[in-house]
Amino acid sequence: MSSTDTLYLAFLVTGFTVGFGHCIGMCGPIVISLSLNRKGRNLLIPHLLYNAGRIITYAILGGVAGMLGSFTILTSSILSLQKGVLIFAGALVLLMGLAMGGWIPFGRVFGDGDSSSSVFSKSLHRLSAARSPFFHLPLGLLLGLLPCGPVYTALIASARAGMAADSALQGFLFGTGLMLAFGIGTVPSLFLVGRLADFGWIKSRQRIYRITSVLMVVIGIYFIIQGIQY
Amino acid sequence: MYCARRFFIRVLLGLLVGICQGAIWSARAADPSPESLVNCSIQEKPCTKELAGISVTLDILPKPVMAMRDLKFQVTLSGEKKTAIPYIDLGMPGMNMGPNRVELRRIKDNVFEGQGVIVRCASGGRTWKATVSLPEVGKVEFVFDVIY
């Protein structure tokens, strides 16, 4: 096994281990929101698409870090975008929590009889597309940009692999492969959380939805505050 | 029957809340906050620790030490004992952030330097740990706060 293969394997294992710690804390609320928003419908394809989107973004970032051979050049250029994505993720979790708890009239806000053409209404209307499984791929692509310590660590390794590469293309390929391995490693934990959040096995689901919706509102606000301070 | 079910659900929820609170309290008692583990004022001056008769000094430049910046890590050893080239592992106390190793190279007899980055945690935690490993001797931990 070459040193590059060893590095890929190391980051696959790293993704797996940080997945069951850090990722559940950061991305868990989003994954739970996506599961609960689908209330009993098929979860397999949406979660596969969400994770595929996330991994594609990681791979692109890894490729760029490897090509540049620098972590800080990459991260300083996407800092504002990451801040926006963190606020967006918070707003998404908050809105889904409010809607699930019945504190905002989901139907009306999302267009059932609301003829308002404001940007806010249109944006919310688009969010309702979360009920389509294919919404989850672009969502994963976007949320793959969430600022996250272990992702940064893997990107540092990608940049270092790029520095050691013979050409920019080789650096890009090393970085892409490393982040692909890391991303794939994080899938089992988030997939498991998404499946467990289905609550299909509980008879009194409404109570659970209400409790979870309160938690989602709190977590959404927390994400927004962190995003503003980031 | 309905009342019994409601009572059962309330008891179950109460138990769950109790278990969670107990777990949080015991975790707090067993695992002190990261801030309380700080043993190095890296923002002000280099930090020194003893390890098996070797004095290990860590400095990080430039100051202030900020996350998401290219940093220079310098380790100076003093004492009679000679060791192989040390290395530094960066992480957060109590949180797995993935492997982030700073490889050092010898620049003088007992002075080693390397480049690295302390990443930023979106949770807002600022306390970081640099574990300096001296091959065949042991490890020493420096816990300090960084600026975001």
Side-chain angles (χ1 to χ4, degrees):
Chain A
M1 193 180 268
S2 72
S3 62
T4 315
D5 292 340
T6 314
L7 202 59
Y8 290 158
L9 187 64
F11 272 87
L12 183 73
V13 174
T14 300
F16 185 80
T17 51
V18 300
F20 280 95
H22 200 281
C23 292
I24 287 180
M26 270 305 283
C27 296
I30 296 161
V31 172
I32 290 170
S33 307
L34 297 177
S35 287
L36 296 177
N37 190 43
R38 294 191 59 77
K39 288 188 178 174
R41 278 175 290 173
N42 180 19
L43 291 173
L44 181 69
I45 292 172
H47 280 287
L48 279 178
L49 290 170
Y50 168 74
N51 280 296
R54 207 167 47 81
I55 293 167
I56 291 168
T57 300
Y58 290 171
I60 294 168
L61 291 176
V64 175
M67 192 171 66
L68 293 171
S70 170
F71 167 77
T72 47
I73 292 174
L74 169 70
T75 50
S76 59
S77 57
I78 60 168
L79 183 69
S80 305
L81 186 60
Q82 287 191 300
K83 190 180 164 98
V85 170
L86 189 53
I87 295 170
F88 169 78
L92 187 70
V93 174
L94 174 66
L95 270 177
M96 285 182 173
L98 289 172
M100 207 172 70
W103 294 299
I104 54 170
F106 205 91
R108 260 199 337 223
V109 171
F110 288 144
D112 301 347
D114 182 5
S115 58
S116 168
S117 59
S118 70
V119 174
F120 183 67
S121 291
K122 280 182 179 171
S123 305
L124 288 176
H125 190 84
R126 284 199 187 100
L127 268 178
S128 69
R131 290 169 183 276
S132 156
F134 296 101
F135 173 81
H136 293 76
L137 182 68
L139 190 69
L141 286 168
L142 186 65
L143 296 186
L145 286 166
L146 272 174
C148 167
V151 172
Y152 286 146
T153 306
L155 284 173
I156 290 172
S158 299
R160 282 189 187 142
M163 282 166 77
D166 296 330
S167 64
L169 177 65
Q170 196 183 37
F172 181 85
L173 294 174
F174 277 166
T176 303
L178 212 142
M179 288 305 286
L180 267 177
F182 172 80
I184 290 167
T186 61
V187 171
S189 58
L190 293 181
F191 207 77
L192 188 70
V193 170
R195 296 293 294 181
L196 288 176
D198 183 24
F199 297 130
W201 43 278
I202 295 175
K203 281 186 179 173
S204 177
R205 271 186 254 180
Q206 283 309 316
R207 195 181 302 271
I208 301 291
Y209 282 136
R210 186 55 69 96
I211 294 166
T212 314
S213 55
V214 173
L215 289 174
M216 281 164 65
V217 168
V218 173
I219 291 165
I221 293 169
Y222 174 76
F223 270 32
I224 292 170
I225 293 169
Q226 289 297 329
I228 292 165
Q229 291 175 343
Y230 197 76
Chain B
M1 186 66 190
Y2 178 69
C3 283
R5 210 173 73 182
R6 279 184 69 174
F7 176 73
F8 175 73
I9 289 169
R10 281 182 184 172
V11 169
L12 197 68
L13 284 172
L15 273 173
L16 271 174
V17 170
I19 289 167
C20 287
Q21 280 188 339
I24 290 166
W25 284 332
S26 56
R28 276 184 185 165
D31 192 16
S33 69
E35 292 81 9
S36 68
L37 298 171
V38 171
N39 62 13
C40 165
S41 306
I42 202 75
Q43 300 293 352
E44 292 151 29
K45 58 183 192 307
C47 301
T48 303
K49 282 185 167 288
E50 290 291 321
L51 177 67
I54 301 172
S55 176
V56 183
T57 301
L58 171 73
D59 199 8
I60 307 175
L61 298 163
K63 306 242 187 273
V65 177
M66 295 184 76
M68 309 298 279
R69 298 274 194 281
D70 287 312
L71 299 168
K72 185 169 80 178
F73 292 76
Q74 192 176 76
V75 172
T76 307
L77 307 177
S78 59
E80 294 299 308
K81 207 170 175 177
K82 295 284 175 192
T83 74
I85 294 177
Y87 54 86
I88 304 171
D89 287 310
L90 298 169
M92 285 184 98
M95 176 68 78
N96 180 6
M97 301 293 278
N100 185 359
R101 179 164 291 182
V102 180
E103 300 287 353
L104 302 175
R105 60 187 173 84
R106 194 187 298 270
I107 55 159
K108 280 184 201 163
D109 199 22
N110 275 326
V111 183
F112 305 87
E113 263 184 23
Q115 296 284 329
V117 181
I118 295 171
V119 301
R120 183 172 179 169
C121 183
S123 70
R126 291 161 191 268
T127 305
W128 277 79
K129 181 175 71 176
T131 305
V132 180
S133 296
L134 276 54
E136 294 171 20
V137 177
K139 295 175 180 185
V140 62
E141 287 185 355
F142 297 89
V143 183
F144 50 85
D145 287 331
V146 295
I147 292 172
Y148 284 167

